[in-house]
Amino acid sequence: MTDSVVLAVPAVIAPLSPTARTTHKRARHHGVAERAALVDVLQSAKLCHMGVTVGGVPMVFPTAYGFDLDGPDRGGSIYVHGSVASRSLAPDSEICITITILDGLVLARSGFHHSMNYRSGIIVGSPRVVTDGDERVKALNLIVDQVVPGRSQHLRDHTRKEMAATVVLALPLYEASVKARAGGPGDDAADIGVETVWAGVVPASTLFGEPIPSDDLESNVELPEHISTMV
């Protein structure tokens, strides 16, 4: 007999974690089971919303984020940052990070069937404060590069004062769920063919306008390619 070989499944194609908290209970037909769908959401957005409990009060904050699929946490790491004085980054319990991309407005023949095309991911778990110096720098650079890819390599190094004033949280990407919707309206059969109301999809996307230089920017500083390619 030969020894059996267990092949590791790459994180991108592995299934999402089937925990009780991330199992879809409503609108299951919009649920996506592949971890690649979570990666798509993480790569596509610029902003997330972090849900925390502060002093027994639930709060949700918009914030920038970065992620590392090979990070030290289970399933990889998603990072958020802020001031060391921020109460939202010293939560009383577990946190939730939600990311949503709006892809279109779905206009039906009735208000009941109006919807949106979207991709959305939710990550829940216990965050850790990142204390390792190298990981802190990498996390902050990932957050910058999530906003503008390649931006961090053009910037000066973080100063000691800046690092001392900043707290970085890492959340495992293991416990997550994804939902998505695509396609047209799901009108009732009785409403179709009674063409008094327009029905269809209005596509939505994020577009960036012409960059506006800072008032104190020297005139000889050219617009770098990592910014011009975003427009």
Side-chain angles (χ1 to χ4, degrees):
M1 295 179 62
T2 59
D3 294 334
S4 60
V5 177
V6 178
L7 299 178
V9 179
V12 173
I13 63 174
L16 287 167
S17 53
T19 68
R21 296 192 299 186
T22 56
T23 298
H24 298 118
K25 297 178 177 62
R26 293 179 58 84
R28 293 183 180 181
H29 59 291
H30 290 317
V32 186
E34 294 78 21
R35 185 156 290 268
L38 175 64
V39 176
D40 170 61
V41 171
L42 291 168
Q43 291 176 335
S44 300
K46 302 292 185 184
L47 186 73
C48 73
H49 284 81
M50 181 174 68
V52 301
T53 302
V54 180
V57 179
M59 298 182 177
V60 177
F61 301 91
T63 185
Y65 71 93
F67 69 97
D68 182 1
L69 296 177
D70 298 317
D73 300 290
R74 187 176 185 183
S77 308
I78 183 169
Y79 297 103
V80 293
H81 79 302
S83 168
V84 293
S86 174
R87 295 178 64 204
S88 65
L89 294 180
D92 298 338
S93 58
E94 295 182 315
I95 69 173
C96 171
I97 290 179
T98 302
I99 304 169
T100 303
I101 301 104
L102 176 64
D103 292 322
L105 307 178
V106 181
L107 310 182
R109 296 171 176 84
S110 66
F112 184 84
H113 288 298
H114 272 63
S115 186
M116 297 183 188
N117 287 337
Y118 67 93
R119 289 163 286 156
S120 179
I122 296 177
I123 305 111
V124 296
S126 298
R128 65 179 172 88
V129 177
V130 179
T131 57
D132 178 78
D134 290 340
E135 187 185 2
R136 277 165 55 83
V137 170
K138 181 177 181 180
L140 292 172
N141 289 342
L142 286 170
I143 293 171
V144 170
D145 289 338
Q146 183 68 26
V147 178
V148 181
R151 178 70 174 170
S152 65
Q153 62 183 302
H154 297 272
L155 308 178
R156 63 160 173 79
D157 292 338
H158 306 284
T159 66
R160 183 176 298 181
K161 181 179 180 180
E162 290 169 341
M163 296 298 288
T166 303
V167 62
V168 178
L169 292 185
L171 185 67
L173 287 171
Y174 169 72
E175 195 171 8
S177 66
V178 174
K179 280 189 175 181
R181 188 198 190 280
D187 279 305
D188 293 333
D191 293 329
I192 299 174
V194 184
E195 300 304 335
T196 59
V197 178
W198 187 91
V201 176
V202 180
S205 62
T206 299
L207 298 177
F208 297 101
E210 188 68 25
I212 303 171
S214 173
D215 291 339
D216 55 8
L217 184 69
E218 295 291 339
S219 59
N220 61 343
V221 179
E222 296 183 356
L223 186 70
E225 184 178 359
H226 70 274
I227 298 177
S228 63
T229 54
M230 295 180 62
V231 179

